[in-house]
Amino acid sequence: VFVSGRWQPQPRHAPLVLTLIIIAAFVAWFTGFGQNTLSTYLTMTDPRVHDFGTFAARVQALLATLSNGEIWRLLSPDFLHFSWMHIIFNSVMLWFLGSQIEWFDGRQRLLVLFIVVSVLSNGFQYLMSGPLFGGLSGVVYGILGYCWLSQRWRPRFQFPPALITFAVAWMALGYTPLSEILGLGRMANEAHLGGFLAGLALALILPVPKKAPPKGGA
């Protein structure tokens, strides 16, 4: 897994992460990067059916959607992406960080992180702005927050110290008009913030594994 001291996993080291990335790629392809009607089956609520102009309307729409058994919508916005750059950036970050969690802390821990962070980050974004968003960035922020804080108790993850600074600065940038001025469009700011806070909380709640896989294997 480590080559010349650097984390360089192969697919067999992180099959769950690889599966999530493959699903996201297929969804991006089949939804035309969120441009066709298939994407409306993956948003938190169906924007063709429900009103989402007010907070109360969004809550009512979500409750109606979940009561109809459409539970998958709590997670499915993760797999919606709106450009190649969008999915490539999220996939690279998910592979680099998520693969370390899957290897050191186990697949079950990563699955718990994915589900909890997804529900909280997607839910926060939806309640603040409605269903027109998507991407794995909320999960990436959650994983980064988990890695950064959990690392304080037991060092095992490898990432540049500047990454957390860059991520927080990028998140703050999303709350300014600069992202749209630069042509980056509107960011899913609440998903980023919700995911990051969820990851920090899980690092505090979940016990740090006592043992990690050895660093020598490939």
Side-chain angles (χ1 to χ4, degrees), residues 100-120:
Q100 295 189 59
I101 295 175
E102 186 168 355
W103 178 255
F104 289 115
D105 291 4
R107 198 163 302 143
Q108 184 177 6
R109 172 65 55 88
L110 179 62
L111 186 60
V112 169
L113 279 166
F114 173 74
I115 293 173
V116 174
V117 170
S118 293
V119 171
L120 294 179

Side-chain angles (χ1 to χ4, degrees), residues 57-140:
R58 292 192 286 272
V59 171
Q60 184 178 2
L62 181 59
L63 293 176
T65 298
L66 296 179
S67 67
N68 287 335
E70 300 175 38
I71 307 297
W72 72 85
R73 291 183 183 269
L74 295 173
L75 304 179
S76 56
D78 294 342
F79 302 105
L80 282 172
H81 289 82
F82 307 112
S83 70
W84 279 115
M85 185 63 68
H86 190 200
I87 191 172
I88 288 173
F89 180 80
N90 283 339
S91 296
V92 168
M93 292 300 298
L94 181 62
W95 176 251
F96 178 64
L97 294 171
S99 61
Q100 295 189 59
I101 295 175
E102 186 168 355
W103 178 255
F104 289 115
D105 291 4
R107 198 163 302 143
Q108 184 177 6
R109 172 65 55 88
L110 179 62
L111 186 60
V112 169
L113 279 166
F114 173 74
I115 293 173
V116 174
V117 170
S118 293
V119 171
L120 294 179
S121 62
N122 289 338
F124 191 29
Q125 180 68 45
Y126 170 78
L127 291 175
M128 294 298 103
S129 67
L132 303 180
F133 69 93
L136 282 162
S137 54
V139 172
V140 169

